[in-house]
């Protein structure tokens, strides 16, 4: 059984994340989406809200499970019995940061490998922070996020 974890803040989940989720889910038996709950930071959406949105938008992908985690990613990966971590790469600017964590995580947890999926060109500009910024100014975000997330963002900023 090949189990992978796709970790992130997902504040909120974007169409770029969903593209990575769909592609990764085809490559493994079970994909756990790990939503980071960082108690020292205040995200726009609570961990519960982020988990709920992800669960709703992924409900038709049978081998996907959404959970939140606190603390180290390596500990969550072990808890999930996973051996693969999935991360999306948008541009070269993502690479240095990702490489550093992939390498250090593998030293701490040698059974784990990070699998990078290159983001679809149509989403290479997209990030949760871009989405939050547009939404906070009442901008059109329909091309960036699923309708449910668009609705939740409008509610947040109304
Ligand atoms: O979507 P993000 O915010 O780029 O996700 C970053 C995330 C959640 C993968 C990273 O911050 C993380 O794993 N944090 C948990 C703490 C930890 O293990 N840090 C070491 C690096 S991955």
């Amino acid at each position: 059984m090949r189990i992978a974890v796709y970790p992130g803040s997902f504040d909120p989940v974007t169409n770029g994340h969903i593209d990575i989720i769909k592609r990764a889910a085809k490559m493994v038996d079970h994909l756990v989406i790990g939503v980071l709950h960082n108690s020292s930071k205040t995200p726009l959406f609570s961990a519960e809200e982020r988990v709920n949105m992800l669960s709703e938008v992924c409900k038709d992908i049978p081998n996907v499970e959404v959970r939140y985690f606190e603390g180290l990613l390596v500990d969550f990966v072990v808890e999930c019995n996973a051996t693969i971590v999935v991360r999306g790469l948008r541009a070269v600017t993502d690479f240095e940061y990702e490489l550093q964590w992939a390498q250090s995580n593998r030293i701490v947890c040698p059974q784990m490998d990070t699998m990078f999926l290159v983001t679809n060109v149509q989403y290479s500009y997209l990030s949760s922070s871009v989405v939050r910024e547009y939404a906070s100014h009442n901008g059109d975000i329909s091309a960036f996020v699923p309708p449910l997330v668009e609705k939740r963002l409008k509610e947040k900023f109304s």
Side-chain angles (χ1 to χ4, degrees):
M1 177 99 166
R2 219 176 358 226
I3 303 174
V5 169
Y6 178 34
S9 304
F10 303 104
D11 188 32
V13 57
T14 68
N15 289 339
H17 292 128
I18 295 167
D19 174 58
I20 298 284
I21 292 166
K22 285 184 177 159
R23 286 159 59 202
K26 284 189 195 149
M27 300 166 123
V28 297
D29 299 303
H30 190 68
L31 179 68
V32 181
I33 303 175
V35 177
L36 179 67
H37 174 55
N38 186 344
S39 43
S40 63
K41 279 192 185 165
T42 314
L44 178 63
F45 290 98
S46 70
E48 199 187 351
E49 289 172 318
R50 287 177 280 145
V51 166
N52 286 345
M53 279 188 282
L54 269 158
S55 304
E56 186 56 33
V57 298
C58 295
K59 67 175 191 292
D60 294 329
I61 315 172
N63 60 336
V64 166
E65 178 192 1
V66 187
R67 293 169 61 175
Y68 79 86
F69 74 102
E70 275 182 88
L72 287 178
L73 175 61
V74 283
D75 293 336
F76 182 64
V77 167
V78 171
E79 194 187 309
C80 294
N81 289 318
T83 51
I84 303 166
V85 167
V86 174
R87 291 289 288 167
L89 279 183
R90 285 166 302 192
V92 125
T93 42
D94 285 340
F95 184 71
E96 215 169 321
Y97 171 83
E98 295 294 340
L99 183 71
Q100 190 177 20
W101 285 120
Q103 287 179 328
S104 57
N105 279 341
R106 220 171 120 68
I107 287 170
V108 177
C109 186
Q111 72 270 32
M112 157 185 154
D113 253 309
T114 304
M115 182 170 85
F116 293 110
L117 293 185
V118 175
T119 302
N120 245 310
V121 175
Q122 68 186 114
Y123 302 125
S124 57
Y125 62 89
L126 191 53
S127 68
S128 297
S129 52
V130 163
V131 169
R132 289 195 304 270
E133 186 69 15
Y134 269 92
S136 70
H137 297 287
N138 205 22
D140 181 3
I141 48 167
S142 56
F144 304 158
V145 294
L148 169 82
V149 179
E150 187 181 359
K151 187 166 171 271
R152 294 280 179 274
L153 278 160
K154 284 196 174 135
E155 287 163 3
K156 270 280 170 212
F157 288 110
S158 66

